[in-house]
Amino acid sequence: MAATVLVVEDERKLRDFIRSYLERAGFTVLSTGSGAEAITMAGEASPDLVVLDLGLPDVPGETVARELRAEVPTPILMLTAKTSEEDRIRGLELGADDYVTKPFSPRELVLRVQAILRRGAPAADQGIASYGGGELLIDEPRRTVTVRDGQAELTPTEWGVLVALATVPGRVYSRFELINRVRGYEFEGYERTVDSHVKNLRRKIEEDPGNPRIIQTVLGGGYRLGLARDD
Ligand code: CA
């Protein structure tokens, strides 16, 4: 059955553009340019995902996100014109599952939507997510990581970093973003702390920690998971 996506974007041309791309990808699309209407529509239609522009004229996107979150855990993909990292992080903290910064490629938007929906789907294998043809298995309910058939013993922070990177394989996460995504741990406020956790993590999960394949460094960017998720 086709998943329903609610697109909330006040720029008419952009809204229609997003709609046509999502429809071509097989989604049922509802759309509106009003934040207030979006909240009503979400309540009535229970969409599977909401694409939400942060800059809306009537109700700010942040407020819409908060209202949607208060109702049901509908995944949110934020559209943001804001380029500062802090604004984007704030979007994620408001409960957005991912974001794209304008201008974006519609193809990338569709891929992000598909990735979020896949993530939210009940895993076929009792919550175990598999990457790289089974090389890496992440079992969130049991908080265990299996690499090449052996269990890796990770600290809570290493676990948090790995799970954050695995959210969207291939996507680059900055150190700042990783810090903010890892919960249950007090960072000392210095982004470079992440580097030492990644170093330890690599020692535990990489075949050759000096030449890492699973957690890749992106110069000037951050880190990304180098394995694709198995479907
Ligand atoms: Ca706007």
Side-chain angles (χ1 to χ4, degrees):
M1 208 182 78
T4 302
V5 178
L6 171 60
V7 177
V8 190
E9 166 61 67
D10 59 300
E11 286 170 61
R12 173 105 204 228
K13 270 190 180 164
L14 184 56
R15 185 168 74 235
D16 292 345
F17 190 53
I18 295 170
R19 168 190 271 275
S20 70
Y21 264 89
L22 286 171
E23 282 177 346
R24 247 178 286 167
F27 294 104
T28 301
V29 181
L30 305 168
S31 67
T32 174
S34 144
E37 197 174 58
I39 295 166
T40 311
M41 284 170 90
E44 284 168 0
S46 313
D48 298 290
L49 184 141
V50 179
V51 175
L52 178 63
D53 178 31
L54 267 186
L56 295 169
D58 59 340
V59 182
E62 285 93 339
T63 309
V64 177
R66 222 173 279 124
E67 296 260 337
L68 290 177
R69 278 298 181 205
E71 298 281 322
V72 279
T74 311
I76 298 170
L77 174 65
M78 278 201 177
L79 302 179
T80 172
K82 297 171 178 173
T83 47
S84 108
E85 201 166 29
E86 217 152 323
D87 282 341
R88 283 182 267 154
I89 300 302
R90 215 156 59 84
L92 292 172
E93 282 174 353
L94 281 170
D97 294 85
D98 203 355
Y99 61 84
V100 288
T101 306
K102 294 177 187 174
F104 53 84
S105 93
R107 194 178 131 69
E108 188 193 351
L109 180 100
V110 170
L111 288 175
R112 294 277 180 89
V113 166
Q114 288 166 334
I116 294 172
L117 288 174
R118 215 164 32 229
R119 228 189 295 160
D125 215 348
Q126 293 157 349
I128 300 174
S130 170
Y131 303 85
E135 182 176 358
L136 174 70
L137 303 174
I138 300 178
D139 184 340
E140 290 212 46
R142 289 175 198 81
R143 291 182 82 86
T144 60
V145 173
T146 308
V147 195
R148 296 177 298 278
D149 299 319
Q151 197 152 315
E153 299 294 337
L154 305 185
T155 66
T157 309
E158 290 158 7
W159 163 265
V161 168
L162 182 63
V163 167
L165 290 170
T167 309
V168 182
R171 187 188 142 194
V172 181
Y173 291 86
S174 71
R175 293 174 176 83
F176 185 59
E177 192 176 350
L178 286 172
I179 288 174
N180 280 274
R181 283 206 162 199
V182 172
R183 285 156 211 262
Y185 183 85
E186 271 308 309
F187 274 92
E188 281 141 12
Y190 192 49
E191 292 175 31
R192 294 287 153 179
T193 316
V194 173
D195 294 348
S196 51
H197 292 298
V198 167
K199 196 174 160 194
N200 293 334
L201 191 48
R202 280 173 171 158
R203 266 213 315 271
K204 295 177 181 180
I205 67 172
E206 297 282 355
E207 238 168 342
D208 176 6
N211 189 16
R213 282 189 314 110
I214 300 179
I215 299 181
Q216 300 172 340
T217 302
V218 180
L219 288 178
Y223 296 101
R224 73 171 165 229
L225 194 79
L227 305 177
R229 179 158 178 168
D230 307 318
D231 281 318

